[in-house]
Amino acid sequence: MDFTIERLHHVQLLIPPGGEEAARQFYGGVLGMIELVKPPVLAARGGCWFRSGGWEVHLSPVPDFAPATKAHPGVLINGLDLLAEKLEAAGYPVEWDPHFPGHRRLYAIDGHGNRLEFLEPVKD
């Protein structure tokens, strides 16, 4: 029997120690993601988890934090222009990139400098 990859469960991004509130402002506030309750053994390590639609992001504090400025999750969006407006209104500039065939896309930086890619398929 062969295995199949079903879907991405989560992506883990790093944050600096004590960075949970900035993460909550961006992921919970601006993106409107739901914060999940972490299992107690993992909650003791700090950080926070968020879910929306078909993806989760797990944010984990590390002492030697450096933002992911090139590596990034790519998230499919319905309503990319509305997301761009919301990001910019909240003080998170967006960078549009027309170089992904069949999609409109933009990059944004979370409150800790991590890069995120948001894509929306081009409608025919």
Side-chain angles (χ1 to χ4, degrees), residues 3 13 24 39 48 61 88 98 107 113:
F3 70 90
L13 295 175
R24 286 182 178 104
C48 41
E88 290 185 327
Y107 293 102

Side-chain angles (χ1 to χ4, degrees), residues 65-88:
F65 169 75
T69 58
K70 184 68 174 170
H72 60 271
V75 182
L76 287 173
I77 296 292
N78 183 14
L80 190 63
D81 292 312
L82 294 173
L83 173 62
E85 290 173 14
K86 188 167 187 177
L87 286 164
E88 290 185 327

Side-chain angles (χ1 to χ4, degrees), residues 74-84 96-98 100-107 117-124:
V75 182
L76 287 173
I77 296 292
N78 183 14
L80 190 63
D81 292 312
L82 294 173
L83 173 62
W96 290 93
D97 183 349
F100 196 92
H103 293 78
R104 297 176 60 236
R105 76 173 172 176
L106 63 82
Y107 293 102
E117 177 181 344
F118 297 99
L119 305 101
E120 182 173 47
V122 173
K123 295 173 176 62
D124 295 330

